[in-house]
Amino acid sequence: MKKIIALGICLFMAVLVHAQYETTLVVTDAPSTAVKARMEQNGTKLLTELNNAQGENRNLSLAGININNQAAESLMIMWEVCPFRCDEVEIVERCLHIGNNQGLQVRNIPVIMEPRAGERFDEDQYQEIVLNFDNSGQITNLCFSIAQNLYTQVMRSNLEVTDLRRRSLVLDFVEQFRTAYNRKDMAFLEDIFSDDALIITGTVRKRVNNDGVQFVSGVSYKVQDKRTYLSNLSAVFRRNQRINVVFDDVKVMKHRQKDYIYGVKLVQHWNADTYSDKGYLFLLWDFKDEANPKIHVRTWQPYDATPEKEVFGLNSFNVSKL
């Protein structure tokens, strides 16, 4: 009798351990019942595999999950940098439409970032991800998302239908841009910056007075072209096992005359093995080709040393030739 009870307890514990790794995705407002079913099936399989792979300390296995090759390769790179899991048993979220028939999206999926053995992870362990699907329900991308309150704030800041559509597309690429730094994706960054991109980086100037006290005396700016910036960035990626970039206080502005030109102003938190900082980031995006937008300007200014009135914005640059 005792053996039977012990066996029953072991079976119960095995079921319990398996169940705690499963996350079920439930999607509302999908275009059709068939698409809803495929989104839920693929999303559930992917989230559950993330949980199991992280819990078993192994590589991902995406067999049986309908995910395109580009998304699969991207996810594998992210996994090498830092695994993550979803602790929720069930997630119920709306299906959103991206831009002009650019696909479908499910947001607000909470994940816990897990450092690898011997790696420090002092902050930003809780993140949210967003899953992108094509119109048939296949997974096409997974990105770390901006906070939901920021997303809602940006989407509600302009009530024109056409601009809301474009704003959803802008935010989608902003999240892809953030995730590219986290997964050290040089190919994406090579593609997203225009060939003539202007890169401006601010550095705090410090002075020491007669008493030996150091104080900030201003900000110096360095201008780089695309090739120099990406070369330097590649070296930074090699020096750091993990890079975690978080965007906060996001503002999206549309150019008054050229409705395909957008400025995105935000606060960037950069945390890596060798260096951490906080600064104002401005991106000037060209969405003339919505499927392949380009960044023409990227600026970074130190947060504590830059007055808000001096932060670069859409009106700081001449876009007449764009």
Side-chain angles (χ1 to χ4, degrees):
M1 183 67 180
K2 290 182 179 179
K3 289 183 178 180
I4 295 175
I5 293 174
L7 179 60
I9 292 174
C10 289
L11 289 173
F12 174 77
M13 291 302 294
V15 172
L16 183 62
V17 169
H18 180 268
Q20 73 182 15
Y21 283 115
E22 183 173 359
T23 298
T24 301
L25 177 65
V26 179
V27 178
T28 65
D29 301 327
S32 69
T33 302
V35 171
K36 168 183 167 67
R38 285 191 288 269
M39 292 176 68
E40 291 177 339
Q41 181 182 54
N42 292 321
T44 296
K45 285 182 177 180
L46 178 58
L47 294 174
T48 300
E49 172 57 17
L50 294 173
N51 299 342
N52 287 323
Q54 191 280 320
E56 297 165 11
N57 192 28
R58 62 170 172 81
N59 291 329
L60 287 175
S61 175
L62 302 180
I65 302 174
N66 191 0
I67 179 171
N68 70 16
N69 291 337
Q70 184 177 355
E73 292 173 6
S74 172
L75 181 55
M76 289 298 189
I77 295 172
M78 293 169 67
W79 194 258
E80 284 298 314
V81 175
C82 190
F84 49 93
R85 70 180 190 275
C86 179
D87 281 347
E88 300 295 325
V89 174
E90 182 181 70
I91 295 174
V92 181
E93 287 293 340
R94 291 181 57 208
C95 171
L96 304 174
H97 294 262
I98 308 171
N100 185 18
N101 202 32
Q102 296 284 332
L104 308 170
Q105 189 177 82
V106 176
R107 305 184 61 83
N108 310 326
I109 301 175
V111 296
I112 304 297
M113 311 296 292
E114 287 294 332
R116 296 196 180 278
E119 182 185 12
R120 292 182 57 193
F121 207 136
D122 298 328
E123 57 182 22
D124 298 324
Q125 198 164 357
Y126 172 87
Q127 300 284 343
E128 291 184 357
I129 61 173
V130 52
L131 285 177
N132 285 4
F133 301 81
D134 65 15
N135 293 318
S136 72
Q138 182 187 51
I139 297 173
T140 58
N141 205 359
L142 183 153
C143 291
F144 295 114
S145 63
I146 62 173
Q148 180 60 22
N149 63 319
L150 294 176
Y151 180 87
T152 302
Q153 178 182 321
V154 171
M155 291 302 292
R156 289 180 176 176
S157 62
N158 190 308
L159 297 180
E160 295 178 25
V161 174
T162 55
D163 198 41
L164 283 174
R165 175 188 63 77
R166 182 66 66 77
R167 281 167 184 262
S168 71
L169 188 61
V170 171
L171 288 177
D172 178 58
F173 273 97
V174 167
E175 290 173 335
Q176 291 188 52
F177 181 72
R178 173 203 168 185
T179 304
Y181 283 92
N182 289 10
R183 65 178 181 239
K184 307 179 189 177
D185 190 344
M186 290 301 300
F188 178 88
L189 295 170
E190 174 78 37
D191 184 63
I192 203 71
F193 282 105
S194 67
D195 291 338
D196 60 352
L198 174 66
I199 316 292
I200 302 175
T201 304
T203 304
V204 177
R205 291 199 309 268
K206 295 183 179 180
R207 295 177 57 188
V208 179
N209 63 16
N210 295 332
D211 297 326
V213 178
Q214 190 178 70
F215 64 96
V216 175
S217 63
V219 178
S220 299
Y221 290 98
K222 178 173 65 175
V223 177
Q224 303 173 74
D225 59 16
K226 172 182 175 178
R227 187 55 45 217
T228 303
Y229 171 72
L230 292 182
S231 176
N232 293 335
L233 183 63
S234 180
V236 172
F237 285 170
R238 290 192 298 271
R239 288 196 302 269
N240 293 272
Q241 181 179 357
R242 183 187 69 87
I243 293 175
N244 186 31
V245 175
V246 177
F247 290 164
D248 195 6
D249 194 21
V250 181
K251 296 181 177 65
V252 176
M253 302 147 282
K254 182 175 68 172
H255 195 270
R256 292 182 179 180
Q257 282 78 40
K258 300 191 175 188
D259 62 2
Y260 54 87
I261 299 295
Y262 281 78
V264 178
K265 187 185 296 185
L266 51 89
V267 175
Q268 174 184 278
H269 303 260
W270 176 286
N271 293 289
D273 302 330
T274 60
Y275 177 71
S276 297
D277 63 30
K278 177 182 179 181
Y280 293 105
L281 185 70
F282 172 75
L283 304 168
L284 195 153
W285 292 76
D286 181 347
F287 277 86
K288 186 179 295 182
D289 179 357
E290 290 191 347
N292 298 285
K294 298 295 181 184
I295 296 175
H296 289 288
V297 177
R298 176 197 182 272
T299 70
W300 184 90
Q301 297 166 277
Y303 186 84
D304 292 329
T306 308
E308 192 168 352
K309 64 180 180 180
E310 296 180 12
V311 176
F312 290 118
L314 191 57
N315 295 327
S316 304
F317 301 94
N318 183 1
V319 300
S320 61
K321 295 182 179 180
L322 300 180

